[in-house]
Structures are given as C-alpha cells and as structure tokens.
Amino acid sequence: MNALEATVAAQRSTSIKHKPSRLFFILFPAVSMLLGWGLRGFIGGGPYGAMIPGAMVMIAICMLLDVPLLFAAIAVVFGTAGTAMGGEMTYGQTIGFLRDTDTVWWGFTGTSVKGGVWGLSSGLFIGLGLVHERIKVKTIITGFLIFLIGFVIGLKLINDPKIIYFSDPFNQPRKESWAGLLFASAGLLIYLRTKITAMDFRIILHFVWYGLLGGALGFGFGSLWITVGAKYGARLLVVDWWKMMEFSFGFLLGGFLGFAAWKCRNINAGTYPKMETKISKSFFIELIAALFIGVFIYVVMQLFESYLETINGRNGIFYASIATTGRVLTSYLFIGCMLILIALCWPYLGFQIAVTLTFCHCMIDLVTDDRLFPGLQSLPLFFIITTVPSFIVSVLVALFQRKPFVLQSMFLILVWSTTAVAVIRMIAGGEFIFNSQHSLSQVIIGDLFVFNVFIISAILVSGMVVKNKAIGVREVV
C-alpha cells in the first residue's frame, strides 16, 4: 500500500480522535435538553412534545459514548420514547400552587416529585437503550408488560383515589399519573435486575439515579421561578417565567444525564462490535414505513381515543375495565413501547421515529392552534401543511442516515427544523411586535428573551457537534 492509499484508508476507517472532557459530557446534553425542553413547551405540549428533548439528549449521549450507528438508531428511540412518557403527567395546577405564598411549598413538593419521576423514567429508558443489544427481545417485551401493569397499579392505588394529590381537588381536578409512572418504572427496573448482567444493570442504574436527582432538582427548583415571577416580575426585565422554569428543568436534567454518561464511559467501552452495519433498506420503503407509522400514531390512535371518550363515565364493571384498558392503550407509555419494538424489528426506522415523527407533531401543534392560523383548520389545508414539511424532513433523514456522520446529521436536522417551527410560531403570534415604550434593553432581554435562548442554544449545540465531529461513530464504508 502506497502513501496515498494509506491516507485514503485512514480517512475511510472508523477511529476516535479524542475523548470528550467531563465538562463537555455535562454541557452538551445540558444545553441540548435546555433547548429541547424549551421548544417542547412552545411548539408541542404533552408527551409527543416531550419527544423533542428526549431525542436531542439521547442523540447527544450516543455521540458522547461512541455508540455504533445500527445500535444508536434503536437506542435513540428508547431515549426519545422514555423521556416523552413523562409528558403523561399533569402539572399545570401543581405549578399554580407556587403563585400563592400559602401553598408554595406544596407546589414545590409536587414539582420535585413529578420531576424526579420524570427523570427516573427517562434515565431508565436511556440506560436500557444503551445496553439493549445485549438483552433478548423477549426479555424486553416481558419487561414492557410489567411496566404497563405497574402503571395501572400505581394509578389505582394512589393517583385515582387521590391518596397523594398535587393538583386542585376543587377546581376542575385533573387525572394524575405520576405514581403510575413511578410504579411502572420500579417494576421494570426490578425485573431487569433479575434478567441482565451486573454490568448492564449498573449502567442503567447510573442513569436512573442521576436522572431522578436531576429531574427532582431541575423541576423542583426550576418551578420556583414561577414564585419569583409572581412576586417580583413587575420589577424585572424577564417576562416569561414559565420558560425560565422549562429552561432550568431541561438544563439540570440534561446535565445530570450527561454526567451519568460520563460515569459510564469506561463501563460500556469495548462492548459494541468493531465493524459497523450501514442502513441497507431502500429509500422508498423507509419513507412509506415512516408514513404508515405517522398515520397510525396521529390518526388511528387519536380516533381510538376519541371513541373511548364517548363511553367514558358509563357505569358498570365492563365499562370501567374498558376505560382502564383504553387509558393504558392510548397513553404514551404504551405507544412509546410500541415505537421501541418497531425500532428493534426495523432499525432503519429508528431515526424516522425520533426525528420525523417528533417534527411532525410540532407541525400538527402549530397548525391546530386556531389562535394563530384560524384559516387553516380545513382538512385539506391541514393535511398539506403538516405532511409536506414532514415529508421533507423524512427525506432528509433517509438521505443523511446513508452518509457519514449520521448522528451529527440527525441532531442538526432535529435542532434546526424544530427551531424553525418555533420562529414561525413567534412571527404568527406577534412576538416580534414590540411595545413602543420599551427601551432597547427591555426589548433584547425581556421581549426577545425566549427567541434569544432558542437561537443561542441552537447555535451552541450545533457548534459543539460541528467542532467535535470526532465524537460519535462514522460508519465504516
């Protein structure tokens, strides 16, 4: 082999040029989740909106831990779905307690508990995603069944009878599910302890404990911004205290998960195969499969949920059992498990689930907001405006997962497509029409606060990815 051939071979091979520092391990997921969590509360609520921070932080962790492409495509779905499951919990009324000095500590307790449960479940699925290739699919399926059974037990023992209730019992009381998610996660964790190796369980446990701590601190202390805003908001330039809460929650949870990844950097080293398998399915099949998944999630499941609402409240054991079963089947806990199983069967759909489906919900949330686009509620316009951009993102995902630096490309596609939707929402909502009486500092720091955080965070994480292309795996070609 001559010098030229050796140079080309070196460029085409997979190698790690450097190991990221501990600070980078913490900051990259922290800023990624700060951005993702802020976007989640702005362009997509509920569990589907929580797919945004889940996908961002999991792709970041896969890059940091050098997870090979084929396994990363599946692991990303674990992290995306696991983080999104926490979006099933209601917390609007819990945060309302923080505005009143008489109930602020009860509200703080509620957000800390719910944040801890959210971080625990996120960490559980992130850790499970990182070791999934060493676990039998049968074991994972059984674990998911235990997970869903635990969810029902927690609902019936604590949430439904309101034994510990963090919402308002007198003013439109909400159905809480934090205990259901806690019991579900505990059941899955206990089952995995009996079925997987000590090393793999240790990895999962790292993410569980640090996720629990980061979630409790992030949501608990982050929610106190609501109290600060209620008491001192008129004196300060910052006007969006809810976003301050979300940014704080995302930053702390992401940072703790990043630290867990750093703790696992050597435990998981060398456990993946040396050679990489590229995405091999046809471009057309991938796009069609992604379309069918989108239709099932956003059309079929929504129609099924609407049907269940028509029989909700009917008396009798039969209807009560149907209501409970329906509540589980339409919850994101069940849907997330199904998405993970799809990725396990067809890894080439992993990035379509984590990136394209996530973006698609952002478009649905944007168009269905009749306060912004009252003229776009007709079915033909709704279909066109949601599917065309989603199809473009789907094509980009399919194209770039067949090129080098796949994880970096998926991350950038998700970051900038969702940020673009956020900017469109800002323009449509008139957030760039400033009060003429505001000073320049009030405009920049106050009126443009959310926009500035979105853009600066997106640029920061993009710079981290572009500058550090050595992190993450480039597939062997």
Side-chain angles (χ1 to χ4, degrees):
M1 178 183 295
N2 58 37
L4 178 59
E5 291 174 334
T7 300
V8 172
Q11 292 175 344
R12 291 167 63 87
S13 65
T14 299
S15 62
I16 302 302
K17 298 178 183 178
H18 77 282
K19 292 183 178 180
S21 66
R22 177 170 58 183
L23 181 61
F24 191 83
F25 259 93
I26 295 172
L27 286 181
F28 185 26
V31 180
S32 299
M33 211 166 203
L34 176 151
L35 173 62
W37 219 280
L39 290 169
R40 181 256 173 175
F42 195 74
I43 59 174
Y48 291 101
M51 292 172 69
I52 304 172
M56 287 184 181
V57 78
M58 193 59 183
I59 297 175
I61 289 173
C62 285
M63 282 191 278
L64 290 168
L65 291 178
D66 188 28
V67 180
L69 174 61
L70 187 65
F71 303 127
I74 302 172
V76 166
V77 182
F78 273 88
T80 302
T83 303
M85 290 174 186
E88 285 288 332
M89 294 184 290
T90 180
Y91 54 83
Q93 292 183 345
T94 307
I95 292 172
F97 292 138
L98 293 157
R99 296 187 174 95
D100 189 336
T101 55
D102 294 332
T103 57
V104 63
W105 290 112
W106 184 245
F108 173 76
T109 302
T111 54
S112 298
V113 169
K114 293 181 180 181
V117 172
W118 205 331
L120 185 155
S121 60
S122 300
L124 172 58
F125 277 85
I126 287 172
L128 182 57
L130 292 172
V131 302
H132 76 272
E133 83 286 352
R134 298 190 291 274
I135 303 175
K136 294 180 180 179
V137 175
K138 179 183 177 180
T139 300
I140 293 177
I141 293 175
T142 304
F144 285 172
L145 291 175
I146 294 172
F147 181 74
L148 296 174
I149 293 171
F151 178 61
V152 175
I153 294 173
L155 291 178
K156 297 305 178 183
L157 287 182
I158 296 177
N159 290 143
D160 289 352
K162 299 181 175 62
I163 301 299
I164 304 175
Y165 189 64
F166 293 114
S167 295
D168 190 342
F170 307 108
N171 182 25
Q172 296 180 332
R174 306 291 178 84
K175 287 185 177 181
E176 293 203 328
S177 58
W178 62 266
L181 185 57
L182 176 61
F183 276 58
S185 300
L188 176 56
L189 190 63
I190 293 170
Y191 173 73
L192 291 174
R193 178 65 182 87
T194 67
K195 290 295 183 179
I196 64 178
T197 65
M199 182 189 72
D200 288 343
F201 189 74
R202 184 181 173 191
I203 292 172
I204 294 175
L205 209 56
H206 272 304
F207 284 97
V208 165
W209 285 121
Y210 285 108
L212 171 64
L213 186 58
L217 293 176
F219 203 8
F221 286 101
S223 65
L224 292 179
W225 285 116
I226 303 298
T227 305
V228 173
K231 191 171 184 179
Y232 304 107
R235 308 177 194 175
L236 302 174
L237 291 178
V238 175
V239 295
D240 198 330
W241 298 100
W242 190 283
K243 299 309 294 182
M244 285 287 291
M245 174 191 68
E246 292 177 338
F247 292 144
S248 300
F249 186 12
F251 184 81
L252 284 176
L253 178 55
F256 274 88
L257 291 172
F259 185 72
W262 183 79
K263 296 281 285 186
C264 296
R265 70 197 186 284
N266 294 324
I267 299 176
N268 217 31
T271 58
Y272 295 111
K274 295 290 184 181
M275 297 301 292
E276 185 73 12
T277 303
K278 296 179 66 175
I279 302 297
S280 58
K281 291 292 182 179
S282 75
F283 198 90
F284 179 75
I285 291 177
E286 180 178 331
L287 295 181
I288 293 297
L291 174 63
F292 274 105
I293 295 173
V295 170
F296 177 77
I297 297 298
Y298 295 127
V299 178
V300 176
M301 292 302 294
Q302 298 304 314
L303 291 175
F304 180 53
E305 186 173 5
S306 298
Y307 167 72
L308 290 174
E309 290 177 357
T310 63
I311 62 173
N312 189 30
R314 295 186 183 181
N315 297 324
I317 297 177
F318 175 73
Y319 286 111
S321 61
I322 290 180
T324 300
T325 303
R327 185 176 177 183
V328 173
L329 294 180
T330 57
S331 72
Y332 195 91
L333 277 73
F334 175 78
I335 293 172
C337 290
M338 293 301 100
L339 292 176
I340 291 171
L341 293 178
I342 290 172
L344 285 169
C345 293
W346 301 286
Y348 67 95
L349 293 175
F351 293 119
Q352 293 290 351
I353 293 171
V355 179
T356 305
L357 284 187
T358 300
F359 173 80
C360 182
H361 180 263
C362 296
M363 290 302 303
I364 293 173
D365 189 79
L366 177 70
V367 177
T368 53
D369 191 340
D370 54 11
R371 297 170 299 175
L372 300 178
F373 302 105
L376 301 181
Q377 305 305 306
S378 65
L379 185 60
L381 283 175
F382 172 84
F383 178 79
I384 293 172
I385 296 175
T386 55
T387 56
V388 171
S390 299
F391 177 75
I392 293 172
V393 170
S394 179
V395 170
L396 290 174
V397 169
L399 178 65
F400 280 96
Q401 75 167 332
R402 290 165 172 79
K403 294 181 178 295
F405 303 113
V406 175
L407 290 175
Q408 290 85 343
S409 298
M410 297 301 110
F411 187 85
L412 293 174
I413 290 171
L414 180 60
V415 165
W416 288 105
S417 62
T418 51
T419 301
V421 175
V423 173
I424 292 172
R425 179 178 284 275
M426 289 179 177
I427 295 172
E431 297 198 24
F432 294 115
I433 302 175
F434 310 121
N435 190 324
S436 60
Q437 297 180 347
H438 284 186
S439 64
L440 181 61
S441 60
Q442 286 176 314
V443 170
I444 295 175
I445 301 176
D447 299 334
L448 287 174
F449 170 70
V450 175
F451 173 79
N452 290 337
V453 174
F454 283 163
I455 297 301
I456 292 172
S457 301
I459 292 173
L460 280 176
V461 293
S462 299
M464 291 178 183
V465 169
V466 172
K467 185 179 179 180
N468 294 274
K469 283 189 175 180
I471 65 171
V473 169
R474 177 180 178 179
E475 66 273 15
V476 175
V477 293

